[in-house]
Amino acid sequence: MRWRRNALPAVLAAALSVLPPGRRNGYTHGGPTAVTEDSLSGAGGTAPAPDRPEPPSTSRPGEQGAHTAAGRPDTGSDRGEPRQRLRAWAELLRVSALFSVPGDALAGAAAVGRRPGRGTALAIGASLCLYEAGMALNDWADRDEDAVDRPHRPIPSGRISPAAALGAAGVLTAAGLALAARAGRPALTVATGLAATVWAYDLHLKHTKAGPAAMAAARSLDLLLGATATATGVRAPGGTSSPDNVAAAAHRGLPACLPALPAALVLGAHTYGVTAVSRHETQGGSTGTPLAVLATTTALAAAVLRESWGRAPDRPATTRAKADTGPVARRLDAGPLGKVTDPVRLLAITLTGAYLRTAGPPLLHAALNPSPPLTQRAVGGGIRAMIPLQAALAARAGAPVTALAVMGLVPLARSLARKVSLT
């Protein structure tokens, strides 16, 4: 009996020695090797004991569970890769700033006294494509600088390759020009100038003193693109394009957008200031620039509320002498603030106040404490302030419905800015 007790362990040990390695510790043949570290043993609570089944996984299908053995390949680490790639592209393209783009075309349409139409929609699509092309090209051109100052950006962090960013910039530029071409030859001419300005800024001009001026020109051209596409996109009363109308629009060409030039200059001046502040967002240290831009912002608000710019908003191509009898022109020309009881004038004043409220405080904070975080906040405030400025320009042109539609983009921009940085 004593011999049998002493022989039984020896027999069991011999049997275990001839089993394939994959059958030990409950794993199937070809699976991972047994865990021998004390920190991952069943006593440590991080791995199940050999005689106890593993609890069901609470993770998503394909994701790595909490009971992964040491040395086991992580087969679920790339499950979230599509979502991470989508977020990387959202950061690269700064999609939270996209909502500042449609207001350019809508303000341009209001400035020429026309309701938004097919040409306006094509101009918005072209503007969005060219804007995103500029964002992708900007990060491609700054990839070496971002590797030092912003290593978390998609390209220096390795989440997006430089070739992919450059290719996206090219494809988006071509798409923007194609959409502008659908709006007519004059719109394509303006869009070509806009695309050339964007590429020149990203590849060279932004590192020179002409950088803010180039960015301001791009925003002004964007508003003029909407004005041109709206004014020259003439259709016959039956809803189809008429050869005579198309020929007349082509003959008018770029002069059709001239009434929108004052609004384009206002928007360009604001963009100049935001770009000037952004040149210090990584290092900070500038007090004079935010103060100067704050003064410019106040002057622009006053300009929006000034008397008429010499044209009746609801009658394009009419002179001021002939337009003085128009109801909209009369109420907009009644002094610096006009009749505040007039609904359209009151809306313009309210939207101008929203513009000042959005852009002013961050600029003041950056002037008092020119640190990189506050400077970046001032840049973000300047970008967000473009929406109420565009709405104020539309209301100033006598298009309250368009102004309210532009302001409807503010909640969307604010919610997306919480997820993706504007700068």
Side-chain angles (χ1 to χ4, degrees), residues 361-406:
L363 288 171
L364 181 59
H365 295 160
L368 296 176
N369 181 11
S371 61
L374 291 181
T375 303
Q376 293 171 8
R377 189 174 300 176
V379 175
I383 296 175
R384 290 190 299 270
M386 288 183 181
I387 299 179
L389 178 58
Q390 295 158 348
L393 290 173
R396 174 67 183 75
V401 176
T402 300
L404 292 176
V406 173

Side-chain angles (χ1 to χ4, degrees), residues 218-290:
R219 272 288 178 173
S220 296
L221 287 172
D222 199 29
L223 188 146
L224 294 177
L225 174 60
T228 304
T230 304
T232 59
V234 181
R235 284 184 172 273
T240 58
S241 298
S242 168
D244 294 337
N245 288 332
V246 173
H251 178 70
R252 288 200 310 269
L254 296 181
C257 71
L258 290 181
L261 188 58
L265 292 177
V266 169
L267 188 61
H270 171 79
T271 306
Y272 186 101
V274 175
T275 309
V277 175
S278 70
R279 295 165 75 91
H280 305 278
E281 65 178 339
T282 57
Q283 304 296 332
S286 175
T287 299
T289 301

Side-chain angles (χ1 to χ4, degrees), residues 57-65 75-80:
S57 174
T58 58
S59 59
R60 297 178 182 178
E63 291 186 344
Q64 181 70 12
T75 58
S77 59
D78 59 345
R79 167 57 65 176

Side-chain angles (χ1 to χ4, degrees), residues 99-116:
F99 296 100
S100 68
V101 177
D104 291 346
L106 293 173
V112 295
R114 295 186 180 275
R115 294 180 180 178

